[in-house]
Amino acid sequence: MNTSASPAAMATPSVASPVESPEAFAEYLAAQEKKSLLRFLTCGSVDDGKSTLIGRLLYDTKLVFEDHLLALEKDSRKHGTTGEEIDLALLLDGLEAEREQGITIDVAYRFFTTERRKFIVADTPGHEQYTRNMATGASTSDVAVLLVDARHGIVTQTRRHSFIVSLLGIRHVIVAVNKIDLVGYDEKIFTQIRQAYQAFAGGFGFKTLTAIPISARYGDNVTARSERMPWYKGPTLLEHLETVDVEEDRASRPFRMAVQWVNRPNLDFRGYSGTIASGRVAPGDTLVVAKSGKASKVKRIVTYDGDLDQAAAGDAVTVTLEDEIDISRGDLLAAANDRPEVADQFAAHLIWMHDEPLFPGRSYLLKCGAKTVTASVTDLKHKIDVNTFEHLAAKELRLNEVTFCNLSLSEPIAFDSYDSNRETGAFILIDRFTNATVGAGMISYGLRRATNVHWQAIDVSKESHAALKAQKPAVLWFTGLSGSGKSTIANIVEKKLHAMGRHTFILDGDNVRHGLNRDLGFTEADRVENIRRVGEVAKLFVDAGLIVLVSFISPFRAERRMARDLVGPGEFIEVYVDTPIEDCEARDVKGLYAKARAGKLKNFTGIDSPYEAPESPEIRLDTTAGTAEEMADRLIESLRERGMIA
């Protein structure tokens, strides 16, 4: 039987079968609930036919309603690329920019169902600049359908997407050799592409790798076998999607469940609610809180429909325990005989997804499961060229780039390696100011030094140091452009505090670069590290009970925020020395601005490197309104008003 669709057949509306009675509808819903769910994505190069393929699946499974199809016919005449035929790609490319350009920009998700399985498919972009969107779709998928244009074979984007699919832990791959109709349904071409891909992807660790020749436009081997390729004896694309086994993978792993909510409706009930990430659990099983190591047996598995005798990966449940132990939102419940790692440092692969580059030392929020902590990348081990897979040295990471790096967290968390458990080995990085997701990571292993290095107990506390000096320790953080007068004002303030009997110390930007930071330049990455080190030193001075005056340009808000977070509440006073750049240039005794203007001094703040002015500093000194001496007096008076000094 020839399954290719003619233009006339394509014009026939396809609608979902109606349910004739409430009883039939209830039976239908019950049947849907029992079906397994498969998440898969389509990926590949530009114009390989990803959107068309998904449109074909939706059409052939009769999930395109009549009104939608009529609208699609109209849109096809305006934006379509298939002549008089309906352009099925427009079912997915919903953005106007996508339709105008004929490309996919954002990830589009669609649901469809067959008699055997439910599906959620992600249509991902093929352009290199939208690699982060492709990674987003892959992060939740179990299977990747990688499209290859039969005319072009394996191309650069095929390699790039295959690497990301492997990196994100997808172990089931279908190579859909599309547009086979445009090469005359040639078996030899299909065989060459299949063999070339198998040779290329041999080291990626895919569990299953199936190649299928298809024509998404005409439906050949998509949902039904095509008579035009009698030489192909394998399954159709839909047959393979219906039968590929991904459920056993999750259920066979050790039990893991992140606590999303502590369920306490009354004094007689305390349960821990969440979705089981992997494994199985039953009453009587012993679980541990991964971080604390506290153990207890499962008493009940509670759901809205009643208690369960057993629950498995994917089930949303509330677990009650026989013992009262301390468990909070974000804690990870695990099998007692197979526990995850717990550490505050680990190595991971990281895909950067933000226009602003990543610099080691910059502070972000890290979310792993239901747990969110402060974190920073401490070392970029290497950057990976996703086209050649070479390892390259790097000091920063830019949009769509991939690195292998070390991360340090503000507190230990429980995790597994991503290879062994995608749910508990994945994390995202979040910008602390915009709340935007800026990176997606896959944990490789905990760093051993994280468990070997411990805090040494010290009997003389910060409070004891401060009491001896009869003062409140603090950081006075002077920030402003070069030439704004930071160091001059800080020096005057210190002399006045010293005359009052206060114990102080100045950390000046130029002076510190002669010693502690002599190895750092003025790139953005080096500036971040410069402030990180100074922030740590300032914290030590505060712990010693001193008032430390820090005079650094410190151009980035993120690093000033990082320094603030190192000390206690009320111990960080941001002093913005607000001087117009014209005035800074006029008093440029070192001639730095002139060199920067002439292009002889690179990465100079205010000229070719940005300065992010404080948005809400504790103290703002407008140097156009008075002398340095007057600014120092204003600062001293502000410290008195805040109770910092008498």
Side-chain angles (χ1 to χ4, degrees):
M1 172 180 167
N2 193 328
T3 59
S4 301
S6 66
M10 291 289 290
T12 303
S14 174
V15 298
S17 300
V19 179
E20 298 179 354
S21 67
E23 293 78 11
F25 183 66
E27 291 178 4
Y28 172 79
L29 289 180
Q32 294 300 312
E33 289 180 359
K34 294 178 182 178
K35 292 180 184 177
S36 63
L37 173 66
L38 178 72
R39 295 177 179 269
F40 72 95
L41 83 153
T42 58
C43 56
S45 190
V46 180
D47 292 331
D48 277 349
K50 297 179 292 296
S51 298
T52 302
L53 175 61
I54 300 175
R56 166 61 62 184
L57 285 169
L58 295 175
Y59 184 91
D60 285 356
T61 53
K62 302 189 182 301
L63 287 175
V64 184
F65 292 94
E66 185 174 357
D67 57 343
H68 196 175
L69 192 59
L70 292 173
L72 187 63
E73 291 182 33
K74 180 180 177 181
D75 290 338
S76 296
R77 289 191 292 270
K78 181 179 179 181
H79 300 291
T81 60
T82 55
E84 296 299 318
E85 301 173 20
I86 290 177
D87 189 349
L88 292 174
L90 298 181
L91 283 170
L92 281 298
D93 293 336
L95 299 177
E96 186 65 23
E98 293 178 322
R99 295 186 170 204
E100 289 174 355
Q101 299 177 53
I103 64 172
T104 297
I105 295 174
D106 203 356
V107 183
Y109 295 93
R110 290 294 185 272
F111 171 86
F112 69 97
T113 183
T114 67
E115 291 297 322
R116 302 183 65 175
R117 201 171 223 170
K118 296 179 291 186
F119 301 91
I120 295 177
V121 54
D123 181 28
T124 63
H127 284 68
E128 179 179 356
Q129 62 264 42
Y130 302 124
T131 299
R132 57 181 170 180
N133 304 57
M134 179 267 168
T136 299
S139 64
T140 57
S141 297
D142 302 305
V143 175
V145 179
L146 183 70
L147 276 85
V148 177
D149 191 321
R151 299 169 299 173
H152 305 142
I154 308 299
V155 297
T156 298
Q157 196 71 331
T158 310
R159 298 173 181 271
R160 178 183 293 114
H161 282 188
S162 297
F163 171 72
I164 294 174
V165 162
S166 172
L167 188 65
L168 288 168
I170 296 177
R171 294 294 173 255
H172 303 277
V173 172
I174 301 170
V175 180
V177 182
N178 192 27
K179 304 186 180 181
I180 196 74
D181 54 297
L182 298 183
V183 295
Y185 302 94
D186 192 326
E187 179 183 8
K188 184 178 179 181
I189 291 177
F190 168 74
T191 301
Q192 289 174 344
I193 293 174
R194 184 193 66 202
Q195 292 175 345
Y197 188 85
Q198 287 173 337
F200 151 71
F204 282 155
F206 296 138
K207 190 173 181 179
T208 63
L209 178 57
T210 304
I212 303 174
I214 67 168
S215 170
R217 181 176 179 180
Y218 297 115
D220 295 277
N221 286 337
V222 177
T223 61
R225 196 172 305 280
S226 171
E227 289 182 354
R228 295 173 177 175
M229 288 176 279
W231 45 265
Y232 175 69
K233 305 301 182 183
T236 65
L237 176 63
L238 187 59
E239 285 173 348
H240 188 65
L241 290 172
E242 285 182 322
T243 56
V244 61
D245 183 12
V246 296
E247 294 298 322
E248 188 59 32
D249 290 348
R250 295 173 63 197
S252 62
R253 298 178 191 142
F255 176 79
R256 302 284 188 266
M257 189 186 85
V259 176
Q260 297 171 316
W261 177 42
V262 178
N263 188 347
R264 191 74 190 277
N266 55 60
L267 295 176
D268 299 323
F269 185 91
R270 182 193 296 271
Y272 308 100
S273 302
T275 299
I276 299 175
S278 62
R280 303 177 184 276
V281 67
D285 289 351
T286 301
L287 303 182
V288 297
V289 183
K291 186 174 178 180
S292 68
K294 298 293 185 181
S296 183
K297 290 186 177 182
V298 176
K299 187 176 181 180
R300 297 170 58 194
I301 302 174
V302 182
T303 71
Y304 181 80
D305 297 319
D307 287 10
L308 300 179
D309 294 330
Q310 178 178 270
D315 292 339
V317 297
T318 296
V319 174
T320 68
L321 303 176
E322 293 183 355
D323 304 293
E324 292 282 346
I325 57 178
D326 184 17
I327 302 177
S328 303
R329 170 179 162 78
D331 282 333
L332 185 68
L333 298 179
N337 59 353
D338 200 336
R339 304 185 185 188
E341 289 192 69
V342 177
D344 61 2
Q345 297 184 57
F346 53 71
H349 284 96
L350 180 67
I351 301 174
W352 194 244
M353 306 169 71
H354 198 253
D355 294 326
E356 292 293 325
L358 164 75
F359 299 110
R362 182 162 285 179
S363 180
Y364 300 94
L365 295 178
L366 182 146
K367 188 174 189 298
C368 182
K371 187 71 173 179
T372 302
V373 297
T374 302
S376 63
V377 173
T378 57
D379 185 23
L380 296 177
K381 309 296 287 185
H382 58 256
K383 184 168 61 176
I384 301 172
D385 186 324
V386 296
N387 299 321
T388 64
F389 314 133
E390 288 184 274
H391 292 178
L392 309 173
K395 286 191 174 182
E396 63 184 40
L397 199 67
R398 296 191 174 272
L399 177 65
N400 292 330
E401 292 184 331
V402 179
T403 184
F404 187 69
C405 60
N406 293 345
L407 292 99
S408 178
L409 284 56
S410 59
E411 62 180 271
I413 65 169
F415 60 85
D416 293 290
S417 70
Y418 190 82
D419 285 342
S420 62
N421 197 316
R422 291 175 65 188
E423 285 73 18
T424 55
F427 64 90
I428 59 173
L429 290 182
I430 303 169
D431 186 277
R432 301 180 63 179
F433 296 98
T434 65
N435 211 36
T437 298
V438 295
M442 293 70 66
I443 300 172
S444 292
Y445 50 83
L447 296 176
R448 181 167 297 179
R449 64 175 178 267
T451 58
N452 291 342
V453 179
H454 304 277
W455 281 103
Q456 176 63 43
I458 298 174
D459 293 332
V460 181
S461 66
K462 174 172 62 178
E463 291 73 21
S464 300
H465 285 296
L468 184 65
K469 298 174 178 62
Q471 65 183 32
K472 182 178 180 180
V475 177
L476 302 181
W477 192 283
F478 293 79
T479 178
L481 292 170
S482 177
S484 62
K486 301 182 300 299
S487 296
T488 301
I489 296 172
N491 189 49
I492 296 172
V493 170
E494 188 185 32
K495 287 193 295 183
K496 291 178 180 291
L497 291 173
H498 184 74
M500 298 165 60
R502 303 302 171 194
H503 298 258
T504 63
F505 195 84
I506 284 184
L507 292 172
D508 183 79
D510 286 346
N511 294 348
V512 170
R513 281 188 177 271
H514 285 291
L516 176 67
N517 292 346
R518 68 185 301 173
D519 60 318
L520 300 177
F522 291 90
T523 64
E524 288 193 35
D526 284 345
R527 287 170 181 264
V528 172
E529 175 61 13
N530 185 43
I531 299 304
R532 187 195 69 79
R533 294 182 189 179
V534 171
E536 293 286 355
V537 173
K539 176 185 182 300
L540 295 176
F541 278 120
V542 169
D543 289 345
L546 299 179
I547 298 173
V548 55
L549 297 86
V550 179
S551 177
F552 277 66
I553 294 173
S554 50
F556 306 122
R557 297 189 188 104
E559 279 60 67
R560 298 196 298 267
R561 174 66 178 270
M562 174 183 64
R564 179 187 294 272
D565 290 346
L566 290 172
V567 296
E571 292 180 344
F572 188 94
I573 308 297
E574 188 173 37
V575 182
Y576 176 30
V577 183
D578 188 1
T579 305
I581 191 170
E582 297 81 10
D583 291 359
C584 294
E585 290 194 64
R587 63 174 72 150
D588 183 19
V589 295
K590 300 176 185 177
L592 300 179
Y593 280 97
K595 290 181 180 178
R597 294 287 187 191
K600 298 178 181 179
L601 190 60
K602 299 297 183 183
N603 301 312
F604 191 77
T605 302
I607 304 300
D608 59 350
S609 184
Y611 176 76
E612 299 172 356
E615 295 177 327
S616 54
E618 280 77 8
I619 300 171
R620 176 179 173 271
L621 300 178
D622 181 0
T623 61
T624 64
T627 65
E629 187 79 25
E630 291 170 335
M631 295 297 105
D633 288 337
R634 281 188 53 193
L635 178 53
I636 292 291
E637 184 58 32
S638 179
L639 294 178
R640 284 199 179 97
E641 293 173 356
R642 295 172 179 273
M644 304 292 296
I645 58 175

